[in-house]
Amino acid sequence: MKPSLAIKKENVDLEKQVSKSNNFTQVKRSIKFMLLIAFTSIAINAQAQERLTIENGKSYVLKKVNVTGKVTYNEQTIVTFAGLTKGQPITVPGEEISNSIKKLWKLGLYNNVNFYVDKIEGDSISLELNLNELPKLSNVKIVGVKKSAKESLIKDNGLTNDKIVNENLLTTTKYYIENKYKKEGYYNTKVNISTFEDTTTINHVNMVVNIDRGKKVRIKDIELVGNDEVKKGILLRSMKDTRHLSLMNFLKLKSMKFKRDKYKDDLNLLIDKYKENGYRDARIKSDTVVYDPKSNKVKIKINLEEGKKYYFGNINFTGNTVYNDQLLSKYLGIEKGDVYNSVLLDKRIADKTQPDGEDITNLYQNNGYLFSNINPIEVKTENNQIDLDIRIVEGPLAYFNKISVVGNDKTNDKVIYRELRTKPGEVYSKENLVRTIREIGQLGFFDAEAIKPDFENVDPAGGTVDIKYHVAEKGASQIELQGGYGGGGFIGTLGLSFNNFALSNIFKKNAYKPLPMGDGQKLSLRLQASSYFQTYSFSFAEPWFGGKKPVQFSGSLSYSKQFSNNFTNNSVDRSRSFNIFTASIGIAKRLQFPDDYFVLSQGISYQHYDLNNYNIGLFTFGNGTSRNLSYTIGLTRNNKGVNPIFPTYGSEFSITAKLTPPYSYFNRVDYQNLGNLPENKLYATNSSETYNAGDPLINNNGVLTKANSIEEASADPSKVDQQKFNWLEYYKIKVKAEWFSKIYEKLTLRTLGEFGFMGAYNNKRGLVPFERFYLGGDGLANFAMDGRETIQLRGYPNNSLTPTITQGERAGQQIGGTAFNKFSLELRYPITLKQTASIYMMAFVEGGAAFEGFKSYNPFAIKRSAGVGLRVFMPAFGLLGIDFAHGFDSINPGGPKSGWQTHFIIGQQF
């Protein structure tokens, strides 16, 4: 009989839930017990055999270790794991084998470890190490939840290929899933995990996780006991996520589901509401949550102790040398006799909800005192009044030391560093830190939600701090690819926008990935075409022209050509055309006064209109040219939030003026007398029974008769207008104001007001038919020949709210407005703001109107609408959206209401 030494042996049932720590404790106890039994057995066996004796604590030289059992690692690797080497001294029994067992168990790879004495030859001993490896994971199947949730659960629990499957993994996975869904309100969640052998791979198992979430638990009722001074309604409204079943909560779309972690947070909010009303000592004596399995609802009972109502007493500041008591009192905004409000006190000391709030902490930190510490201490309580001592440790001035940016894999360092407001050697300023985060986000090249500043090497003794900004690149280029049928033919659009272009690398082969990128320049190309029109455009913008100052230079070129098209039979007459050429350049400079949120922009543009036999009623003349040379100046202040796609705070104000030279002031043309000039009279182009070709004519409501003299002849409108509009003359003023306000968490209100007016220098010359305002619809400009501005007003068809001609042959034809106003309120809520896609939904009300002239302008005579919409921003495609809006008013007087309209939004402003 072969003598054997069984050091440890234990089987693990994978279905049994035990903790890792308890398992290891049992292992140690088992080792001691098995050693005692094994060595007792060895001693008995040794007495029955000649020459084969093992004495307690005898030393040997390890000759060999044979590894047997279910193993995948090679023998030498396992022996090395065990800490054993050939030729080493070993005591049997002794610490060497005990330590080997511990090492093997710590690996977590085995559920069965056995040592046996294989052979003894003199002072040499050979051992057998029998192991049974735990199985590894092949595939995981999760049943009962959506695909996105499955991926998250697999990732969160680390259920990857070749993961060791042991009791701890099964237990922790089950515990995690159950608690995850309980936090979300699924209190009846049941999780069952099973494993079965994978017959295709040695020592591998497949795992099936069955999840039954059940229904979410709702709150039936919340009972408050002890609230004598503060009304129940006020207290319940203070709880953000814990709402009981009621008609009011249902109408407000409030969630009435019970979530344990949110409930605990809401208990704190309830006490905060007491503290806001002076009840400093208010506390929750007890709370109970009773679950009714039949109704799947809970009843909550909260026992309160309100305590006394307190007021602020004397407030003293100590330790302040930089700022006097009067200034600090102004920032604190609390006076003796006010109801004691510890929540307000904390906000006035340091408002954690607003990083740029006007509190005392920011007063110090915005001026270099990074290490300042401000603590309000209650020093005396008498007659329900609490005296405060606000103790300030100002600390030394802090300076920025090393400033770095990491994560910009595509964008060059200079593009980011020139936007930083935190410079090495400058006095620390929290305001500049917050502003830097905004400026980086406004570049549009990085995920605004992921911008994070890290404070490193904070040295109070030296008064320095290093700042490292973490950024995550996102796609900055966009492609616009559209196709559709409209106007009697197919219309195709191809647009490319490269918003982080690098012109300096255009001749470097290795920079084409697929194009040179990284310098923050913008390059756009667009082509739109159909059977009857073509439009080509190109634009380029350099945000830091010259590389030293924030002066943006921009330029653009475009060319459009349209042929006469018969929409009835889709025939195109290419002998009749209308061509437009446009060129523009501009400069925009960031100002320092009144503050550096202001930008002054200026630009010059030139448009050349060329009509060749293009008599379709759009203009009074069908042959000739018109030129538009204009100067544009604008002043804008923009301090919108970090995320340009979904700002939650800030505003943008702009006023813009577009001016042409006042030609009529110096060209000495009497525009009122143009119709009396012989060259502008109406002449017959062919002969008839009453007149011959070349005869002067009188036009009497479309009936042509021969005039007795040239003076008696009617004026030819096309000739008069050709002279009037040879060089366009006008001025145009636009004002826009936009605010963003956070209402609740990420729920944001956008408030918008717009006004535009177009006027003439010379009333005798009149207003030009170009550059007018067209109101209504989705606001997409698409193809326009006359320089019109399209103004969005949802709930109405495109351009339907635009003034029309009321009399004559052209009655009903739109002529565009020369004045407009628009007002809008939008509630926005983000679904996701991830780097790959930002999605938010909205509800809106808006109103507006366009007017033929300023005399008819009435800001209160507006067309109203309301609706809901969705926006999706993807870096590769820009902004996409859909709106469903209801127009409450009729388009024409006496007509039906506009009703429901659907609008598709492509590439419009955020």
Side-chain angles (χ1 to χ4, degrees), residues 520-690:
Q521 300 161 346
K522 296 183 180 181
L523 176 68
S524 298
L525 302 167
R526 197 170 190 268
L527 166 64
Q528 191 175 32
S530 74
S531 59
Y532 62 93
F533 78 84
Q534 299 170 1
T535 300
Y536 312 90
S537 64
F538 164 85
S539 65
F540 175 80
E542 164 56 71
W544 281 64
F545 187 56
K548 294 183 178 180
K549 292 184 178 181
V551 177
Q552 175 177 289
F553 171 81
S554 60
S556 66
L557 293 171
S558 69
Y559 178 75
S560 299
K561 189 178 187 71
Q562 173 154 339
F563 301 102
S564 176
N565 182 37
N566 188 325
F567 294 102
T568 304
N569 55 21
N570 295 331
S571 62
V572 178
D573 185 355
R574 295 185 177 273
S575 66
R576 304 170 66 188
S577 64
F578 179 29
N579 306 321
I580 307 173
F581 170 77
T582 304
S584 67
I585 58 171
I587 290 287
K589 181 181 181 181
R590 187 185 301 165
L591 304 179
Q592 299 298 318
F593 180 82
D595 60 38
D596 59 1
Y597 288 110
F598 280 87
V599 173
L600 177 66
S601 58
Q602 302 177 74
I604 297 176
S605 66
Y606 173 76
Q607 289 176 303
H608 185 88
Y609 301 91
D610 183 21
L611 288 82
N612 299 303
N613 195 26
Y614 199 79
N615 294 287
I616 62 168
L618 182 63
F619 307 105
T620 55
F621 57 94
N623 285 287
T625 60
S626 185
R627 304 167 183 84
N628 183 4
L629 177 64
S630 62
Y631 166 72
T632 302
I633 183 170
L635 184 65
T636 302
R637 187 183 189 274
N638 180 359
N639 70 334
K640 290 190 293 188
V642 177
N643 192 337
I645 300 168
F646 192 85
T648 57
Y649 64 90
S651 60
E652 181 177 1
F653 299 92
S654 65
I655 179 168
T656 306
K658 189 174 184 179
L659 316 165
T660 66
Y663 302 106
S664 58
Y665 285 1
F666 49 78
N667 62 9
R668 298 182 181 180
V669 175
D670 184 358
Y671 291 97
Q672 194 172 15
N673 193 49
L674 286 178
N676 296 324
L677 298 179
E679 62 268 25
N680 292 335
K681 292 293 185 177
L682 182 63
Y683 295 95
T685 56
N686 49 37
S687 299
S688 72
E689 294 180 357
T690 58

Side-chain angles (χ1 to χ4, degrees), residues 66-87:
N66 296 314
V67 179
T68 61
K70 186 191 289 186
V71 292
T72 57
Y73 293 95
N74 64 58
E75 183 175 284
Q76 184 57 47
T77 301
I78 294 174
V79 173
T80 303
F81 283 163
L84 299 174
T85 57
K86 182 179 178 181

Side-chain angles (χ1 to χ4, degrees), residues 865-884:
S865 68
V868 295
L870 184 73
R871 294 292 183 272
V872 179
F873 179 83
M874 292 183 289
F877 298 99
L879 187 70
L880 307 172
I882 185 171
D883 292 326
F884 302 97

Side-chain angles (χ1 to χ4, degrees), residues 225-231 235 274 278-283 285 304-310:
V225 180
N227 58 309
D228 300 323
E229 300 298 331
V230 182
K231 293 181 180 179
L235 295 173
Y274 267 109
Y279 296 92
R280 180 196 66 172
D281 301 328
R283 67 184 184 93
K285 295 167 63 177
L304 298 162
E305 182 180 308
E306 293 180 322
K308 296 180 180 180
K309 187 171 184 177
Y310 292 92

Side-chain angles (χ1 to χ4, degrees), residues 399-401 403 417-427:
Y399 295 85
F400 291 114
N401 186 29
I403 307 296
Y417 280 91
R418 65 195 184 190
E419 299 293 342
L420 301 185
R421 304 304 175 96
T422 54
K423 304 293 178 64
E426 292 185 351
V427 174

Side-chain angles (χ1 to χ4, degrees), residues 158-438:
L159 302 178
T160 56
N161 289 341
D162 291 332
K163 178 89 171 182
I164 298 297
V165 180
N166 54 25
E167 290 182 28
N168 185 59
L169 178 68
L170 299 176
T171 302
T172 55
T173 300
K174 181 177 180 180
Y175 179 81
Y176 174 85
I177 296 173
E178 287 178 343
N179 279 275
K180 171 182 170 62
Y181 286 108
K182 283 182 179 179
K183 288 179 180 178
E184 295 178 7
Y186 297 97
Y187 268 75
N188 297 314
T189 299
K190 297 179 181 178
V191 179
N192 180 41
I193 303 176
S194 58
T195 60
F196 56 93
E197 184 180 0
D198 182 1
T199 58
T200 62
T201 309
I202 298 174
N203 199 32
H204 278 65
V205 295
N206 293 318
M207 180 185 292
V208 177
V209 182
N210 283 288
I211 303 173
D212 181 9
R213 297 184 303 177
K215 293 182 178 180
K216 282 192 173 182
V217 176
R218 296 182 180 274
I219 302 171
K220 184 176 182 180
D221 184 44
I222 302 175
E223 181 184 358
L224 301 181
V225 180
N227 58 309
D228 300 323
E229 300 298 331
V230 182
K231 293 181 180 179
K232 179 179 179 180
I234 295 175
L235 295 173
L236 291 182
R237 284 194 294 272
S238 70
M239 303 172 78
K240 289 167 55 177
D241 298 291
T242 306
R243 307 272 182 174
H244 67 286
L245 284 170
S246 69
L247 178 62
M248 186 61 66
N249 285 333
F250 176 78
L251 294 175
K252 291 181 178 180
L253 302 177
K254 298 291 186 181
S255 173
M256 291 162 280
K257 297 166 185 174
F258 181 70
K259 300 179 181 179
R260 175 72 65 177
D261 56 337
K262 299 292 185 182
Y263 169 63
K264 294 299 181 183
D265 293 339
D266 282 339
L267 291 180
N268 293 328
L269 292 177
L270 188 148
I271 295 301
D272 284 346
K273 179 57 66 174
Y274 267 109
K275 292 180 178 179
E276 289 176 6
N277 288 275
Y279 296 92
R280 180 196 66 172
D281 301 328
R283 67 184 184 93
I284 295 174
K285 295 167 63 177
S286 65
D287 70 288
T288 56
V289 179
V290 180
Y291 174 66
D292 180 10
K294 291 184 179 180
S295 63
N296 196 37
K297 295 182 177 67
V298 297
K299 288 185 178 180
I300 299 174
K301 184 177 181 180
I302 303 173
N303 290 299
L304 298 162
E305 182 180 308
E306 293 180 322
K308 296 180 180 180
K309 187 171 184 177
Y310 292 92
Y311 299 85
F312 283 106
N314 295 318
I315 302 174
N316 297 315
F317 296 92
T318 60
N320 54 307
T321 61
V322 178
Y323 303 108
N324 58 38
D325 291 359
Q326 289 77 15
L327 180 61
L328 295 177
S329 297
K330 182 180 178 181
Y331 271 81
L332 188 64
I334 297 173
E335 296 182 358
K336 182 178 180 179
D338 290 348
V339 173
Y340 190 83
N341 186 340
S342 60
V343 176
L344 177 64
L345 177 64
D346 291 340
K347 284 188 175 182
R348 297 292 170 81
I349 297 295
D351 190 348
K352 296 179 181 179
T353 63
Q354 294 186 22
D356 56 349
E358 292 189 0
D359 52 64
I360 296 177
T361 297
N362 278 347
L363 173 65
Y364 274 93
Q365 294 209 357
N366 288 341
N367 292 280
Y369 293 92
L370 169 64
F371 310 110
S372 59
N373 190 15
I374 302 159
N375 290 310
I377 305 297
E378 297 179 358
V379 294
K380 183 180 179 182
T381 302
E382 185 178 358
N383 297 327
N384 290 0
Q385 281 198 344
I386 299 175
D387 293 346
L388 291 178
D389 197 359
I390 298 179
R391 299 173 183 176
I392 301 173
V393 179
E394 295 176 331
L397 274 174
Y399 295 85
F400 291 114
N401 186 29
K402 182 181 178 182
I403 307 296
S404 59
V405 180
V406 295
N408 54 314
D409 302 324
K410 298 177 183 177
T411 305
N412 294 327
D413 287 346
K414 66 177 183 179
V415 175
I416 307 173
Y417 280 91
R418 65 195 184 190
E419 299 293 342
L420 301 185
R421 304 304 175 96
T422 54
K423 304 293 178 64
E426 292 185 351
V427 174
Y428 172 84
S429 169
K430 183 180 177 183
E431 182 180 18
N432 287 343
L433 190 73
V434 174
R435 178 67 183 276
T436 295
I437 296 172
R438 177 193 178 273

